[in-house]
Amino acid sequence: MTRVLLVDDDLELTAMLSQYLLREGFEVQAVHDGQAGVREATHGDYDIVVLDVMMPRLSGMEALRRIRASKQVPVLMLTARGDNVDRIVGLDMGADDYVPKPCTPGELVARIRAILRRTQRREEPADARGLAQLQSGQLVLVPGSRSATWQGQPLALTGTEFNLLEVLVRHAGELVSKEDISQQAFGQPLARFDRRIDVHISSIRQKLGARLDGQPWIQSVRGKGYQLLEE
């Protein structure tokens, strides 16, 4: 059974969402402040964390930062409707997605299932060493274990970052449209004004660093998409 950690100080909302999630076949643990959320997320065995931005004792952003420092569990942020700053900052800090509040239980469940589908381990044909690899120059991805190395060193990626980078590695040297990236990485069409791809790509660029010529390894073509440069 999929285990969901729900972190929100709105007791009425968490009770309603918990009941709905239980009816949908999820196992739910609810806590009501950021400190308790960090403690549960880092020490418990959860498949996904649903984390509100505005909470007492410890904000959702700080809770996200602390969770990301020790775990790569998928995180879905609950943000105030219309607050693009919170959404962009949350994605930049490693959140996998966000849902504006107030949200319906059905919308939340749909987002949770979408995140779990794209972050779960994918079965790949085994190679001689037991795990298939995708490689572009010194960048190596192993989809079966969802691990990555860059220039011979482990590369820490969130689940969403791994999915995005996997799409680009599979099309290394080619320009991939944002629409295609959204379909392949998120399993859904690109929404108008959705900046998730841009924010996550920016984070990946920082982790890869610059080329010898000072250019990023992932090039953008305005209004078109992104391209992972080959060696």
Side-chain angles (χ1 to χ4, degrees), residues 134-216:
L134 299 173
Q135 184 167 359
S136 175
Q138 298 186 69
L139 177 62
V140 178
L141 304 183
V142 185
S145 62
R146 297 186 66 78
S147 60
T149 59
W150 170 238
Q151 297 178 339
Q153 299 298 317
L155 180 63
L157 299 169
T158 67
T160 299
E161 288 171 355
F162 188 96
N163 288 347
L164 288 170
L165 198 51
E166 180 180 352
V167 172
L168 294 178
V169 170
R170 289 184 183 276
H171 300 278
E174 305 173 15
L175 177 64
V176 188
S177 71
K178 291 176 67 174
E179 177 64 39
D180 286 343
I181 293 173
S182 182
Q183 288 283 6
Q184 294 178 45
F186 300 150
Q188 61 189 40
L190 180 68
R192 192 178 183 186
F193 305 125
D194 190 339
R195 290 200 57 204
R196 283 181 299 171
I197 292 175
D198 304 308
V199 174
H200 286 302
I201 291 293
S202 176
S203 176
I204 296 170
R205 279 173 166 167
Q206 293 178 19
K207 294 178 180 181
L208 296 180
R211 291 162 51 91
L212 292 178
D213 60 6
Q215 296 297 309

Side-chain angles (χ1 to χ4, degrees), residues 107-136:
E107 180 183 7
L108 180 66
V109 168
R111 290 294 187 94
I112 288 174
R113 285 177 171 154
I115 292 173
L116 293 174
R117 279 196 302 271
R118 67 180 185 248
T119 57
Q120 67 186 356
R121 292 186 176 184
R122 302 177 183 179
E123 295 297 326
E124 295 281 343
D127 64 6
R129 293 174 295 174
L131 289 174
Q133 292 186 347
L134 299 173
Q135 184 167 359
S136 175

Side-chain angles (χ1 to χ4, degrees), residues 1-11 13-22 25-33 35-52 55 67 78 108 112:
M1 184 178 291
T2 301
R3 300 194 68 206
V4 178
L5 174 61
L6 186 57
V7 188
D8 196 313
D9 64 320
D10 188 330
L11 301 183
L13 177 64
T14 53
M16 178 187 68
L17 294 178
S18 295
Q19 290 177 5
Y20 191 90
L21 287 165
L22 287 169
F26 295 92
E27 182 180 339
V28 185
Q29 173 68 34
V31 295
H32 306 294
D33 66 76
Q35 289 184 357
V38 172
R39 184 170 58 251
E40 279 291 326
T42 55
H43 292 91
D45 184 20
Y46 294 96
D47 297 289
I48 189 167
V49 177
V50 179
L51 183 63
D52 188 26
M55 286 185 297
I67 291 169
L78 297 177
L108 180 66
I112 288 174

